[in-house]
Amino acid sequence: MKRHLISAADLTRDDAVLILDTAEEMARIADRPIKKLPTLRGRTIVNLFFEDSTRTRISFEAAAKRLSADVINFSAKGSSVSKGESLKDTALTLEAMGADAVVIRHGDSGAPHRLATSGWIGGSVVNAGDGTHEHPTQALLDAFTLRRRLVGQEGADLAGKRVTVVGDILHSRVARSDVRLLSTLGAHVTLVAPPTLVPYGVESWPCEVSYDLDAVLDTSDAVMMLRVQRERMNAAFFPTEREYARRYGLDGERMARMPEHAVVMHPGPMNRGMEITAQVADSPRCTAVEQVTNGVSIRMAVMYLLLGGSSPSGPSPSTTQEPGMQHRAGSSEENN
Amino acid sequence: MTASDKTLIRGARVLGGEPQDVLLAEGTIQEVGRGVQAPGAQVVEAEGAVLLPGLVDLHTHLREPGREDSETVLTGTRAAARGGYTAVHAMANTFPVADTAGVVEQVWRLGKEYGYCDVRPVGAVTVGLEGKQLAELGAMHESAAGVRVFSDDGKCVDDAVIMRRALEYVKAFDGVVAQHAQEPRLTEGAQMNEGVVSAELGLAGWPAVAEESIIARDVLLAAHVGSRVHICHLSTAGSVELVRWAKSKGWNVTAEVTPHHLLLTDELVRSYDPVYKVNPPLRTEADVMALREALADGTIDCVATDHAPHPHEDKDCEWGAAAMGMVGLETALSVVQHTMVDTGLLDWSQVADRMAHRPAEIGRLAGHGRPVAPGEPANLVLLDPAYRGQVDPAGFASRSGNTPYKGRELPGRVSHTWLRGRATVVDGNLQ
Ligand SMILES: [Zn+2]
């Protein structure tokens, strides 16, 4: 794996499978009475959030703490836009504090890429969502959930699985990461949205696009519903909430047309009544809560692999006491 | 050296032709020919070098008054001289805006005082570039600055009625409105060209149609009221088609292209390096090729730099927070040589046409863009086309270093620039 996780495109199939398999190990640890590993003891992970996202921050924080890392939460909301403290100055501060990894959420697409390539900091950078660009750990937890539900086998990818992603593709960093990662893992991805919410230029993406949800339901192994902000209708992306829900929302009737084994996914938070009805959201076929749990395992795996173990053939976390310490010298050399 | 001194340029390829000697004295060209004798004259050995009329830029941001941290009239005109320019048109989007006779005269006087390059201020079309009320266009024209080009550049004159009135009004003194063609609603929050790359990068798109729809409207308006209109920094293949169509109708439409739009594409934005952030944005390879072809066949009249200096901190940040624009005065001729001359699309006499003659004509600027012939003002640039070197912004005369060509090898180097017979640049060094 590379030193940073900025885009799902940074991951090869084998990288991704390694992360999913490592996350399975991490999930097993979560079932033990003592949920902590000493792997990243003495390492500092900074959660640098320029946008509010309590859900994502808590997930990264829980993951880091279960690996015994020191966690610093740095909230710098809105500072880049208001030209208060710049990303660069913040980065230099974190570097001075000795951050081994920076988990960054930022409203500007490309901010994590800038952080990783500008020379401002030496540690690893993990993208926790940037603008309308990417959210790679979300895609990884989606892939993890899909593999558990549809394949149920470690070491495997998602070859041949048909995943339909429905909603505001244009503004969705989750959709961009999902398309890249799920296709890397062999899945067939179909995006469904009103044409106004499909990006201009989408033809280069490794997926198909449909404007008709009903046409793809019966061939989907999973249907992932994306949150659609009600405000979008004010910018004429769709006429009314009611029309959006009618054409692109998932209700019980539509869910019944999905194959019996197919699951419903949602990255949360859900807009009940908009893209998903309460009946679907609360059904056992909906994996939304499971995705949250899986998110912690995935983020543990990502931080473990970026900061600790690195080789696919290396020791697994359940059999080695402190793999992070063994690799530390190597990674700090790379940082200079 | 004073203007009364004599200079003999020996063996220069005038407009890229056969070597000739050119004698300058008293601010004008005295003689052009072979074996010119001039005892006591300062001799410049110019074997292999190309002699062109001093370049004229229709689109320069000098930033003074208001943003002297990025450029001043002094640093900007020094950069211009080093790039081979003898006249620049200073854009109006300063603080305060150049929308009154007072501001344009101030900028004009500074240029005159420093003497590196003639500064022709561009007047704002509307008060404060707000697009609502016409600025005092007549007063700016009648001022010592003699404004002939008006533009709200940085912003589009998007109100069709205001644009129509401006086009009509400046006819009284043979002015021209230079339009920054950008439909504002279609480009709200826009960060880069809308296309395959923006879709992947998740950056808000600046669609070609936002430029083309304004150009289409404005050429129709210009035709309707019988005015001339100039289109700034044309950037798309579709815009080329519209201008070609308007010209085929015989309408009085002119257009410029920047050096960076002749060379760079939106693929560079994948780095998220804000040095590539510019407005209008870098487009696709197909657009670049259409622009080159249009400059070659005359559909696009001229090259204009859109030299847009920004302080380091406005580029040393994340893409979304960065300022739009690139410096260009000191690299323009090299980029044109690389994209147009070395590719066989233009010869040097055509470069003189696109970079000196046509811009001076569009700006109604006397004494610039003239033939290299006896009796003409000695505004000249001598360049070495065989030179190859890496661009290093540390060596720029501009106060800002936001060049997209840093570290890139480009051909050609300006060795001398003369402004009315006085050398402003000798052997690449400012005088
Ligand atoms: Zn402009």
Side-chain angles (χ1 to χ4, degrees), chain A residues 80 83 87-88 106 108-111 113-114 120 132-133 176 180 199-205, chain B residues 194-196 198-203 270-274 312 314-321:
Chain A
S80 81
K83 294 264 183 160
L87 177 62
K88 181 182 180 180
H106 200 289
D108 281 342
S109 299
H113 182 96
R114 255 327 245 163
W120 299 331
T132 54
H133 178 222
R176 281 175 180 76
R180 287 190 173 114
Y200 182 93
V202 76
E203 62 272 13
S204 71
W205 294 14
Chain B
E194 184 169 72
V196 163
S198 67
E200 284 182 35
L201 297 184
L203 288 170
R270 291 185 188 278
S271 66
Y272 286 106
D273 185 340
H312 183 64
D314 286 358
K315 290 289 190 180
D316 192 28
C317 57
E318 56 274 31
W319 182 275

Side-chain angles (χ1 to χ4, degrees), chain B residues 393-413:
Chain B
F396 281 176
S398 172
R399 181 161 285 180
S400 294
N402 52 302
T403 173
Y405 312 114
K406 183 180 177 179
R408 193 187 272 258
E409 189 180 289
L410 287 176
R413 171 179 171 270

Side-chain angles (χ1 to χ4, degrees), chain A residues 65-129:
Chain A
K65 285 182 170 168
R66 284 185 193 172
L67 294 170
S68 304
D70 295 327
V71 179
I72 298 172
N73 287 314
F74 196 117
S75 173
K77 208 177 86 176
S79 62
S80 81
V81 181
S82 65
K83 294 264 183 160
E85 185 172 14
S86 68
L87 177 62
K88 181 182 180 180
D89 287 331
T90 308
L92 295 176
T93 304
L94 302 181
E95 181 69 357
M97 283 166 22
D100 295 291
V102 176
V103 175
I104 177 174
R105 161 68 66 103
H106 200 289
D108 281 342
S109 299
H113 182 96
R114 255 327 245 163
L115 191 61
T117 58
S118 58
W120 299 331
I121 61 166
S124 292
V125 175
V126 178
N127 182 1

Side-chain angles (χ1 to χ4, degrees), chain A residues 6-137:
Chain A
I6 306 298
S7 161
D10 295 341
L11 302 170
T12 64
R13 178 214 172 264
D14 289 351
D15 288 336
V17 170
L18 171 66
I19 295 172
L20 302 189
D21 290 347
T22 308
E24 288 289 356
E25 299 277 354
M26 298 299 174
R28 280 193 277 279
I29 288 153
D31 294 337
R32 293 186 197 160
I34 295 169
K35 296 180 167 45
K36 269 193 152 182
L37 274 180
T39 309
L40 299 184
R41 183 176 292 148
R43 315 296 295 273
T44 301
I45 294 173
V46 177
N47 287 323
L48 176 59
F49 276 56
F50 287 84
E51 273 185 352
D52 274 335
S53 176
T54 310
R55 298 165 62 97
T56 305
R57 185 181 55 74
I58 286 175
S59 180
F60 272 103
E61 189 173 348
K65 285 182 170 168
R66 284 185 193 172
L67 294 170
S68 304
D70 295 327
V71 179
I72 298 172
N73 287 314
F74 196 117
S75 173
K77 208 177 86 176
S79 62
S80 81
V81 181
S82 65
K83 294 264 183 160
E85 185 172 14
S86 68
L87 177 62
K88 181 182 180 180
D89 287 331
T90 308
L92 295 176
T93 304
L94 302 181
E95 181 69 357
M97 283 166 22
D100 295 291
V102 176
V103 175
I104 177 174
R105 161 68 66 103
H106 200 289
D108 281 342
S109 299
H113 182 96
R114 255 327 245 163
L115 191 61
T117 58
S118 58
W120 299 331
I121 61 166
S124 292
V125 175
V126 178
N127 182 1
D130 62 327
T132 54
H133 178 222
E134 286 226 35
H135 194 357
T137 58

Side-chain angles (χ1 to χ4, degrees), chain B residues 59 61 91 151 153-155 179-181 232-233 256 279-280 306:
Chain B
H59 197 140
H61 296 276
M91 274 299 171
S151 181
D153 182 62
K155 288 186 175 176
Q179 175 70 295
H180 169 115
C232 295
H233 40 55
E256 70 190 31
N279 193 21
D306 197 5

